[in-house]
């Protein structure tokens, strides 16, 4: 990743992340009745530079190291926090985008903002440090996801050594279950996308598989057939196999417009005698075998190099 | 043309959850025959159809179609909307007929998909 794209991604993140995702939820607060001396000890103990002031669970103000310095200079360490705090502090909303807080830090010059929910109840505190940590955490997560994706997609065939490496997917296709038709094709399409294959290859494989799957749904004897997809380094091999009734005249079946589909299938927009033609158009190689008119095997091969 | 402009041209209603209204659409396929759609529809085009069964959305997904318009006010059943949700394909209903819907889109400058040999 280049430096330029990192900067861009960071800028994007500021517009994507909500304040709730980066703020400190387990924040510490002080009470209005605390003395400034106790507040000084609080800051020293926790190494903070400020804190929200809470009374009975309600936000009543905010106090910072600046207020402490003023109290020190005036010799007023015995003073109560409520006398020195800023009342009605500027707050941020938890579901605001981080970019808004960046604007607030610049505009008001404060080191921290209380964060409230839609009802106005305090739910966290936001400092510039929180924003930096939140952005880094998000970038780290994205970087890991990217690493995992690359490992899975690009190198799977390089990293695994065998004489013949392939990934095989197999789906049962129920005859005449129109509702479930397309389940195998959708899964195969997703898998191919997941492997990072070119869009045109994925699209051709998806269309050919879907036509083949619908053919099994429409024409196969019960219980149906199977669809397999074998992803090899240089090609995808898709097979649709059913156990009957077979195709008596393959040449006739290959003719555009020839169909034996029943009316109810035609009403659904299928069975117009174009499926095999479509498959042939999408495939680099297509073989249709229906020996003795019983079982049908349709084999579709798509090369990884785009035509 | 943006998807949002198509919606207003057709006085349509979105019936699925997802729609990227700024999506640029250039081409339209109109068909009730799903094999026609699979054969001729260009990727990134929208489909105008009178069929509302879930296979219409699966067909669109296979062919990389980015939106579906149902004509004559036909309302897709929940199973169709469910597939659209999973595949993030916007579904729009218009009360216009297929002819009028296509006419409006054509007049507004949208083109037909390319017919391959």
């Amino acid at each position: 990743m280049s430096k330029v794209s990192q900067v861009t991604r960071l800028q994007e993140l500021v517009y994507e992340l909500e304040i709730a995702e980066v703020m400190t939820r387990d924040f510490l607060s002080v009470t209005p009745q605390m003395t400034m001396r106790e507040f000084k000890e609080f800051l020293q103990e926790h190494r903070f530079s400020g804190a929200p002031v809470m009374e009975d669970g309600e936000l009543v103000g905010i106090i910072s190291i600046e207020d402490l310095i003023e109290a020190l200079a005036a010799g007023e360490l015995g003073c109560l926090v409520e006398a020195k705090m800023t009342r009605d502090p500027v707050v941020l909303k938890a579901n605001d985008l981080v970019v808004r807080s960046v604007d607030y830090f610049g505009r008001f010059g404060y080191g921290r903002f209380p964060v409230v929910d839609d009802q106005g109840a305090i739910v966290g505190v936001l400092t510039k440090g929180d924003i930096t940590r939140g952005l880094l955490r998000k970038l780290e997560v994205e970087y890991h996801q990217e690493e995992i994706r690359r490992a899975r997609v690009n190198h799977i065939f390089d990293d695994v050594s065998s004489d013949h490496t392939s990934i095989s997917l197999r789906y049962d296709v129920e005859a005449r279950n129109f509702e479930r038709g397309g389940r195998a094709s959708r899964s195969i399409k997703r898998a191919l996308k997941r492997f990072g294959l070119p869009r045109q290859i994925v699209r051709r494989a998806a269309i050919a598989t879907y036509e083949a799957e619908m053919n099994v749904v429409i024409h196969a004897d019960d219980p149906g057939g199977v669809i397999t997809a074998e992803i090899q380094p240089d090609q995808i091999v898709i097979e649709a196999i059913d156990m009957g009734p077979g195709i008596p005249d393959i040449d006739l079946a290959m003719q555009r417009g020839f169909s034996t589909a029943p009316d109810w299938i035609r009403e659904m927009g299928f069975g117009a005698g174009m499926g095999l033609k479509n498959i042939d158009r999408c495939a680099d190689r297509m073989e249709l075998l229906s020996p003795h008119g019983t079982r049908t095997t349709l084999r579709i091969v798509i090369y990884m190099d785009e035509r | 043309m943006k998807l949002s402009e198509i919606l207003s041209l057709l006085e349509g209603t979105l019936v699925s959850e997802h729609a990227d209204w700024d999506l640029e659409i250039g081409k339209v396929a109109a068909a009730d025959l799903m094999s026609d759609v699979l054969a001729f529809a260009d990727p990134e085009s929208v489909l105008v159809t009178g069929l509302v069964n879930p296979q219409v959305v699966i067909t669109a997904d296979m062919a990389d179609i980015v939106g579906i318009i149902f004509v004559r006010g036909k309302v897709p059943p929940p199973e169709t909307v469910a597939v659209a949700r999973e595949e993030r394909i916007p579904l729009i209903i218009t009360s216009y007929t297929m002819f009028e819907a296509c006419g409006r889109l054509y007049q507004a400058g949208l083109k037909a998909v390319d017919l391959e040999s």
Side-chain angles (χ1 to χ4, degrees):
Chain A
M1 204 187 280
S2 75
K3 202 164 187 179
V4 173
S5 71
Q6 273 188 21
V7 169
T8 309
R9 185 63 196 129
L10 261 184
Q11 287 167 337
E12 279 175 16
L13 277 179
V14 170
Y15 285 90
E16 282 175 21
L17 283 174
E18 287 184 6
I19 288 171
E21 295 174 80
V22 300
M23 69 184 186
T24 299
R25 287 170 187 277
D26 299 326
F27 62 93
L28 292 175
S29 61
V30 296
T31 64
Q33 285 73 41
M34 222 181 222
T35 63
M36 288 306 280
R37 185 170 289 106
E38 286 167 327
F39 176 57
K40 174 174 142 287
E41 284 155 14
F42 170 89
L43 292 187
Q44 283 169 335
E45 186 188 343
H46 298 292
R47 302 195 153 270
F48 290 161
S49 56
V53 185
M54 307 267 294
E55 188 168 35
D56 302 327
E58 297 259 325
L59 177 71
V60 292
I62 193 150
I63 189 152
S64 73
I65 199 161
E66 309 278 330
D67 301 314
L68 177 65
I69 291 167
E70 273 179 32
L72 273 170
E76 295 176 333
L77 280 185
C79 224
L80 294 184
V81 161
E82 68 182 338
K84 296 290 174 191
M85 70 184 185
T86 304
R87 290 173 191 275
D88 299 321
V90 181
V91 296
L92 285 164
K93 287 247 176 82
N95 53 11
D96 272 343
L97 296 177
V98 168
V99 65
R100 188 183 188 102
S101 70
V102 173
D103 171 47
Y104 270 42
F105 280 112
R107 184 140 45 111
F108 296 103
Y110 298 145
R112 73 200 55 243
F113 289 97
V115 182
V116 298
D117 63 15
D118 285 339
Q119 283 72 46
I122 185 165
V123 288
V125 169
L126 186 75
T127 64
K128 287 181 189 169
D130 290 327
I131 298 179
T132 310
R133 271 189 298 277
L135 290 175
L136 284 174
R137 203 164 50 229
K138 184 81 178 176
L139 277 180
E140 193 185 4
V141 168
E142 288 188 356
Y143 180 72
H144 273 297
Q145 285 169 346
E146 177 70 12
E147 269 192 326
I148 291 165
R149 195 187 67 82
R150 285 193 185 179
R152 279 190 192 154
V153 174
N154 294 345
H155 302 304
I156 194 145
F157 288 115
D158 301 336
D159 293 350
V160 182
S161 167
S162 83
D163 291 333
H164 181 93
T165 304
S166 72
I167 290 157
S168 182
L169 311 170
R170 184 190 159 109
Y171 305 88
D172 295 323
V173 181
E174 239 179 283
R176 271 158 298 285
N177 191 337
F178 189 76
E179 291 288 312
R180 296 255 294 171
R183 189 182 66 98
S185 310
R186 289 171 75 192
S187 301
I188 289 169
K189 185 180 186 193
R190 274 187 204 162
L192 297 180
K193 269 170 132 173
R194 193 77 188 74
F195 280 109
L197 298 180
R199 280 189 68 179
Q200 268 308 309
I201 301 275
V202 174
R203 186 171 188 264
R204 282 166 49 206
I207 292 175
T209 309
Y210 183 51
E211 290 279 18
E213 184 177 359
M214 292 313 282
N215 273 349
V216 174
V217 171
I218 296 166
H219 299 288
D221 285 341
D222 284 331
V226 292
I227 298 262
T228 59
E230 198 184 349
I231 303 155
Q232 300 170 7
D234 56 343
Q235 62 183 15
I236 307 161
V237 181
I238 295 147
E239 284 191 331
I241 299 170
D242 66 57
M243 300 311 288
I247 303 171
D249 187 339
I250 287 181
D251 288 338
L252 188 60
M254 283 298 294
Q255 280 178 24
R256 194 185 292 259
F258 177 83
S259 176
T260 57
D263 286 345
W264 70 271
I265 279 294
R266 290 174 191 252
E267 279 160 23
M268 296 290 191
F270 289 85
M274 294 188 37
L276 288 173
K277 274 274 169 232
N278 264 354
I279 294 170
D280 195 30
R281 209 175 44 87
C282 289
D284 287 309
R285 270 192 5 244
M286 176 183 128
E287 293 160 23
L288 180 58
L289 296 171
S290 200
H292 318 301
T294 52
R295 126 192 199 144
T296 301
T297 304
L298 174 65
R299 194 176 150 88
I300 300 158
V301 181
I302 293 172
Y303 302 136
M304 292 291 191
D305 312 335
E306 284 195 71
R307 276 192 293 205
Chain B
M1 180 182 296
K2 289 187 163 50
L3 188 62
S4 56
E5 297 171 65
I6 292 182
L7 185 85
S8 60
L9 262 178
L10 299 180
E11 294 161 35
T13 313
L14 182 78
V15 288
S16 58
E17 283 171 22
H18 305 284
D20 174 3
W21 295 116
D22 291 329
L23 195 66
E24 276 295 333
I25 312 286
K27 291 181 177 177
V28 178
D32 281 348
L33 194 52
M34 291 306 115
S35 276
D36 268 351
V37 176
L38 291 168
F40 303 121
D42 288 342
E44 322 297 329
S45 57
V46 295
L47 171 66
V48 185
T49 185
L51 291 184
V52 292
N53 70 66
Q55 297 301 336
V56 174
V57 185
I58 298 177
T59 298
D61 179 38
M62 294 301 127
D64 291 339
I65 284 169
V66 294
I68 302 175
I69 295 155
F70 297 115
V71 295
R72 279 178 286 129
K74 288 194 176 181
V75 180
E79 55 269 30
T80 299
V81 178
V83 179
R85 185 187 306 123
E86 283 170 35
E87 304 301 346
R88 305 181 73 85
I89 295 175
L91 306 181
I92 291 170
I93 303 179
T94 175
S95 52
Y96 290 118
T97 61
M98 177 82 110
F99 180 74
E100 176 134 24
C102 291
R104 282 174 172 257
L105 296 177
Y106 189 83
Q107 204 166 32
L110 285 170
K111 297 286 176 230
V113 294
D114 293 323
L115 279 191
E116 295 168 56
S117 57

